[in-house]
Amino acid sequence: MKKYCAALALIICFLSGCGINDIVHDRSAVLAKAVHSNLQLLMVPSDSLYTSRANLWNVDSFYSPLDPDSIEMFEYRGGKYYHPVFLGNRAQTMLMAFEKKGHPKYLRRTEKIVRKLMSLSYSDGLAAFLPYEFKFCIHGDTNLTMTPPWYSGMAQGVILKATARLYEFTGKSEYLVFSRMLFNSFLHPDPSHSPWISRLDSLNYFWIEEYPYKPRPGQTLNGFIGAIMGIYEYYDATGDFRAKAVLDASVATLKHYLPQFRRESQTSLYCLGHKIPASSAYHKLHIQMMHDLFMISGDDFFRRVGESFKADIAGPVK
């Protein structure tokens, strides 16, 4: 059962008069146990980050199948579904087109996509989650099957990035409220809770899981960092100190585990939990993400990891 409207009303009430820290104190107690990094966060222009760029060549194209509201859907195994990461990326692309070209149609299209996502969301108390409604086998392995509805930390971050930027462009409080609800989904890292997208490992390092599969968490690198960049955008838009705490814990995790993703003279690992090698495309993405982490943290560790990743593959990566 969807609880979005009730939760929305509660958050509006809290935002208008109550302290947001009180709202999530009980839900973020586990996060308080996480290893932290004393991150010195830098706010940089979005166009200096690889993860904030989008190719605009297809911005005026619409891909079938479309729903009755002309929202693009995902065709998979004979069914038609909404794909949260795809829709979040499309919303970001539309916002970039609006920023570059200035035509209001792109802003209208972004709002249409985000409103669809809002209507699809499930709220658990004060946190909003976007469901995947199709069964999915991670790496094609039937022993790693995500059963619908399932949720993705990467999707939460990608959509958060779009909604936070949309709030910055429009100033509409509904997008701020929804952004806060999306952000709250990261604040109870406990797989015993359902739904969940983040967790603490046995060493109390904080993970955001692209595929939150409890028996064998994947620790997928691009999904984790993609979520981080969404939280970064949310922090930039709102100044929410809780987002700084999540980013701090996330950076601590990466600094501890990134050396384990490296495979000397080969592509990096796609995911640490399942030890799947990254394709050349994902390895290139990892290099770009190291650049972005260096830009937002100023920590030379990420620059050095990026250089190591570059040296591990034949030919230059641009």
Side-chain angles (χ1 to χ4, degrees):
M1 178 179 179
K2 299 287 179 64
K3 306 175 188 174
Y4 172 75
C5 293
L8 184 63
L10 280 171
I11 287 194
I12 291 173
C13 174
F14 278 118
L15 289 178
S16 63
C18 301
I20 194 71
N21 189 43
D22 296 332
I23 302 173
V24 298
H25 177 73
D26 60 325
R27 309 191 70 167
S28 57
V30 178
L31 180 59
K33 300 176 184 178
V35 178
H36 289 270
S37 64
N38 296 316
L39 170 67
Q40 301 299 311
L41 198 62
L42 306 175
M43 308 317 297
V44 299
S46 60
D47 59 5
S48 68
L49 302 174
Y50 285 107
T51 48
S52 293
R53 299 172 186 173
N55 194 328
L56 301 183
W57 69 269
N58 64 344
V59 71
D60 291 309
S61 301
F62 298 94
Y63 301 99
S64 61
L66 301 176
D67 77 357
D69 297 318
S70 297
I71 299 296
E72 291 152 306
M73 301 188 73
F74 174 62
E75 203 157 15
Y76 184 70
R77 296 184 180 273
K80 298 176 183 178
Y81 307 94
Y82 297 102
H83 194 300
V85 164
F86 174 79
L87 290 176
N89 282 328
R90 287 295 278 170
Q92 290 185 44
T93 299
M94 295 297 164
L95 279 176
M96 180 167 288
F98 175 68
E99 189 173 18
K100 299 294 184 184
K101 301 183 179 186
H103 199 292
K105 69 178 181 180
Y106 299 116
L107 190 60
R108 290 195 298 267
R109 182 68 184 173
T110 307
E111 291 196 81
K112 192 171 186 177
I113 294 171
V114 168
R115 287 177 182 273
K116 173 62 71 172
L117 289 167
M118 292 168 71
S119 74
L120 295 171
S121 68
Y122 165 83
S123 86
D124 171 38
L126 297 173
F129 295 83
L130 272 297
Y132 281 83
E133 299 288 2
F134 53 87
K135 183 168 71 173
F136 181 72
C137 299
I138 306 169
H139 312 307
D141 187 344
T142 56
N143 293 315
L144 300 172
T145 299
M146 303 295 293
T147 303
W150 57 276
Y151 307 87
S152 167
M154 180 181 182
Q156 297 291 117
V158 168
I159 295 166
L160 176 59
K161 189 171 190 174
T163 59
R165 294 199 71 213
L166 183 59
Y167 166 66
E168 289 185 288
F169 276 105
T170 66
K172 294 182 180 179
S173 60
E174 62 191 298
Y175 303 134
L176 173 61
V177 169
F178 189 56
S179 294
R180 289 193 187 277
M181 294 179 73
L182 289 169
F183 172 73
N184 286 344
S185 68
F186 297 99
L187 293 181
H188 41 86
D190 183 2
S192 66
H193 185 282
S194 183
W196 67 280
I197 55 169
S198 59
R199 66 182 182 90
L200 298 185
D201 67 16
S202 61
L203 299 178
N204 281 336
Y205 283 100
F206 175 76
W207 289 91
I208 298 171
E209 294 287 355
E210 180 174 355
Y211 302 108
Y213 186 71
K214 184 177 179 180
R216 291 177 60 191
Q219 300 165 287
T220 304
L221 186 56
N222 84 90
F224 187 6
I225 299 174
I228 288 172
M229 299 311 296
I231 295 168
Y232 173 79
E233 192 74 44
Y234 169 76
Y235 178 73
D236 190 28
T238 67
D240 189 332
F241 68 94
R242 303 168 306 148
K244 172 67 162 54
V246 173
L247 291 168
D248 189 276
S250 299
V251 165
T253 301
L254 289 169
K255 291 188 71 172
H256 182 79
Y257 284 103
L258 269 171
Q260 297 183 37
F261 281 91
R262 188 185 179 200
R263 300 190 308 148
E264 192 170 350
S265 301
Q266 303 176 77
T267 63
S268 48
L269 289 176
Y270 174 80
C271 59
L272 195 59
H274 307 141
K275 306 293 186 185
I276 300 296
S279 65
S280 295
Y282 274 109
H283 186 76
K284 177 180 177 180
L285 177 60
H286 291 169
I287 294 169
Q288 293 173 337
M289 286 179 157
M290 292 307 107
H291 167 273
D292 287 2
L293 289 169
F294 169 66
M295 291 294 290
I296 70 171
S297 70
D299 193 325
D300 199 55
F301 170 83
F302 295 111
R303 184 193 61 78
R304 294 195 303 270
V305 171
E307 290 299 322
S308 296
F309 282 1
K310 282 183 182 180
D312 285 332
I313 61 175
V317 176
K318 299 179 179 179

